[in-house]
Amino acid sequence: MKIGLYFGSFNPIHTGHLIIANFMAYHTDLDKVWLVVSPHNPLKASSSLLNEHHRLHLAEMAVQDEPRLRVSNIEFSLPRPSFTIDTLTYMTEKFPTQEFVVIMGSDSFQNIPRWKNYRQLLDNYEIYVYNRPEHPVTDTFGAKVAVVDAPMLDISSSNIRKWIQEGKSVRYMVPDAVWKYIGENNYYKG
């Protein structure tokens, strides 16, 4: 089975994430897409992160009815901060019959030389890069890269958090179940 790993803080998960994950699951040769909730991305400040178990729960709610999408908490039991190559190495050992592909935006791909052991990642794993505006893929760094034109929404978790703090509605930017749960639990209010 060929599984796409879509890493992210998902703080919170939103419709843009889901469109990309679903598109990759149904419009490429991937059999499934696992959304890997990262407890702490080493390239992001952790102060604005909702508790990882809450983010995991929101992501699970978002994909509960989609058979080709799954949420993974694999990084919760690994050393922190989470480095993609360490997670991939662990998953390859734990699931030796699976083929893992990394899914990332072209903006992240441009920064891949900043990643821990990025050469090992590029040499051993295929990468599906979805185009992001103003971040064309001009260099594949010698990796096996498939550039995918997935539908894009101009939406971000940071804007969603900001709007929630400002008391503005984020309905339809996140799945309904996620929207209701965020409101009921006063997540991201301050």
Side-chain angles (χ1 to χ4, degrees):
M1 188 175 295
K2 194 170 187 178
I3 298 170
L5 300 177
Y6 186 14
F7 293 86
S9 301
F10 303 111
N11 186 39
I13 192 161
H14 58 66
T15 307
H17 293 132
L18 297 169
I19 288 171
I20 291 164
N22 195 68
F23 188 87
M24 291 293 188
Y26 285 96
H27 296 266
T28 68
D29 61 345
L30 297 175
D31 297 300
K32 291 195 181 286
V33 171
W34 293 0
L35 291 92
V36 181
V37 178
S38 299
H40 177 210
N41 177 333
L43 299 178
K44 291 184 179 179
S46 62
S47 59
S48 65
L49 286 176
L50 185 66
N51 173 284
E52 67 244 31
H53 295 285
H54 298 321
R55 289 184 284 120
L56 178 75
H57 182 64
L58 292 172
E60 288 170 338
M61 291 171 65
V63 303
Q64 66 187 350
D65 296 325
E66 178 46 63
R68 294 185 77 171
L69 301 183
R70 176 184 155 194
V71 175
S72 171
N73 67 350
I74 197 92
E75 290 191 340
F76 288 27
S77 60
L78 298 176
R80 296 180 193 189
S82 308
F83 293 100
T84 302
I85 191 60
D86 296 339
T87 304
L88 284 166
T89 301
Y90 177 78
M91 291 181 83
T92 301
E93 290 171 7
K94 185 174 169 114
F95 304 103
T97 61
Q98 311 299 344
E99 178 184 353
F100 293 109
V101 172
V102 178
I103 297 170
M104 70 174 67
S106 56
D107 53 340
S108 294
F109 186 70
Q110 286 178 345
N111 290 321
I112 207 157
R114 295 177 50 206
W115 292 25
K116 178 184 177 187
N117 298 342
Y118 82 98
R119 198 69 255 164
Q120 181 185 352
L121 189 153
L122 296 179
D123 291 345
N124 293 296
Y125 297 93
E126 195 171 355
I127 302 179
Y128 287 12
V129 178
Y130 56 91
N131 275 317
R132 300 215 25 135
E134 300 179 25
H135 296 280
V137 176
T138 57
D139 184 354
T140 62
F141 307 104
K144 188 172 180 188
V145 173
V147 179
V148 180
D149 284 317
M152 298 298 302
L153 280 181
D154 186 14
I155 188 170
S156 71
S157 295
S158 57
N159 278 338
I160 289 171
R161 293 191 306 271
K162 178 176 144 272
W163 293 326
I164 290 171
Q165 286 175 351
E166 294 171 353
K168 296 176 181 168
S169 175
V170 295
R171 189 168 193 188
Y172 309 116
M173 294 177 212
V174 297
D176 262 355
V178 171
W179 175 70
K180 289 175 185 166
Y181 199 83
I182 286 173
E184 288 166 3
N185 290 281
N186 291 313
Y187 292 161
Y188 305 109
K189 288 280 184 173

